[in-house]
Amino acid sequence: FPDAVFSNDGRTGAEHRASAREKIMRWIDLHARTGMSEWDSNVYYPMNVIALLNLVDYVEDEELATKAAMMVDLLLMDMGADMFYGQYGTSHGRSKATSIKSAAQESTINTAALVWGLGRFDGANRGSIALATSARYDLPPVIEAIGQDNPESYANYERHSIPITEEAAAAYGLSLTDVNDAPLWWGMGAFSHPTVVDLTVKTASEWDLWHYRDFRDMKDVGRILQSLGILSQAVSFLNPDANGIVMSEVNKLTYRTPDYMLANAQDYA
């Protein structure tokens, strides 16, 4: 509906589409360069695949469709490089206890069976359904080969995400003052991180987010401390629980043989 005017903000469908395109391209560009803050997530990689394949299959913008397909390639390469007989057995930036205890409960098990012929199909998963039904996405043969390779010994070194510092922000073209970049930092869980908290309060005020539960507790004290210019220092001193979910730069190692796999996050800060 490019010419329709949406009553909630007065913008046309074409304006919404242009705004969404800019944000999607920014997200793809950032994660293509930095990996995923929730690295190798056997919970959320399939959800990313679903969203990206919707773009591949249905968007009329060929550049955007191509970039989305390339991002699917990257996610599947991540999975294939750390696949162990159908189990996504590496360390995970986000997972569930059930997924760790048994491959049968992993959200990626059906994808492994479909893409690499490993493991088994177990129930329905939207990520694998999106892959199976995509009319436009073609799996690169090299990614299929990577997932099926089973050498005598293999070590995979990866880096994901970025440090949450002013230096890293400058290096990757991110802003710590522009509200449009707040969702990118929040995607790393950095809501109340000392480097980002001023941007969080600023964004919540400009976007009228204070009525949401996750922001409500910060509304009064956060704005008062910010007005005094001591919000970042206070957060550094108090170190609230929310800082425990920050997903900043990680360097990880996965080692496997035909008999076993070991993996860890060696340097995670």
Side-chain angles (χ1 to χ4, degrees):
F1 309 98
D3 299 321
V5 176
F6 287 71
S7 59
N8 63 329
D9 65 357
R11 292 191 297 172
T12 65
E15 289 173 316
H16 276 282
R17 181 172 59 191
S19 175
R21 185 188 193 279
E22 179 183 0
K23 291 179 173 65
I24 293 168
M25 292 290 276
R26 188 93 187 279
W27 185 92
I28 290 174
D29 173 71
L30 177 66
H31 291 291
R33 291 184 292 136
T34 67
M36 309 300 287
S37 56
E38 294 182 346
W39 73 89
D40 293 293
S41 175
N42 50 6
V43 179
Y44 279 93
Y45 271 28
M47 295 185 182
N48 290 330
V49 167
I50 296 166
L52 290 164
L53 285 179
N54 271 332
L55 294 172
V56 173
D57 284 333
Y58 302 116
V59 75
E60 296 176 354
D61 184 327
E62 286 301 318
E63 182 186 12
L64 183 53
T66 299
K67 291 288 182 68
M70 293 168 68
M71 195 66 203
V72 175
D73 291 344
L74 183 58
L75 291 172
L76 292 178
M77 187 180 73
D78 253 3
M79 293 172 58
D82 290 326
M83 195 58 59
F84 188 71
Y85 300 107
Q87 181 161 357
Y88 198 9
T90 188
S91 67
H92 304 290
R94 185 163 184 170
S95 188
K96 297 185 296 185
T98 53
S99 299
I100 295 172
K101 292 176 181 177
S102 171
Q105 300 298 317
E106 282 194 326
S107 299
T108 52
I109 186 172
N110 293 315
T111 298
L114 176 69
V115 175
W116 297 287
L118 301 172
R120 59 190 173 87
F121 289 101
D122 190 288
N125 175 270
R126 287 171 293 176
S128 56
I129 291 172
L131 280 165
T133 58
S134 176
R136 299 185 65 189
Y137 179 74
D138 293 317
L139 178 72
V142 66
I143 294 177
E144 183 179 10
I146 288 172
Q148 293 175 340
D149 191 31
N150 195 19
E152 286 301 309
S153 65
Y154 166 81
N156 179 32
Y157 297 84
E158 297 180 24
R159 177 195 60 80
H160 288 268
S161 196
I162 63 172
I164 301 176
T165 63
E166 293 181 2
E167 293 78 13
Y172 288 97
L174 298 178
S175 173
L176 289 163
T177 58
D178 185 349
V179 296
N180 292 304
D181 278 1
L184 297 175
W185 294 111
W186 293 349
M188 303 174 204
F191 293 89
S192 59
H193 188 280
T195 307
V196 181
V197 67
D198 278 298
L199 178 59
T200 293
V201 172
K202 177 182 178 181
T203 306
S205 295
E206 288 195 19
W207 290 357
D208 192 23
L209 302 176
W210 293 120
H211 60 286
Y212 288 106
R213 182 180 62 184
D214 292 339
F215 292 93
R216 198 177 299 148
D217 292 342
M218 193 187 293
K219 179 179 180 181
D220 296 324
V221 66
R223 292 193 292 186
I224 291 172
L225 292 173
Q226 187 178 58
S227 68
L228 297 173
I230 59 172
L231 177 58
S232 179
Q233 296 93 320
V235 169
S236 296
F237 176 75
L238 296 172
N239 194 24
D241 289 344
N243 286 348
I245 64 170
V246 170
M247 310 294 285
S248 55
E249 184 180 62
V250 61
N251 294 280
K252 58 182 288 281
L253 167 63
T254 304
Y255 178 81
R256 64 178 168 90
T257 74
D259 301 309
Y260 63 88
M261 170 185 276
L262 299 171
N264 68 3
Q266 289 194 311
D267 184 7
Y268 174 50

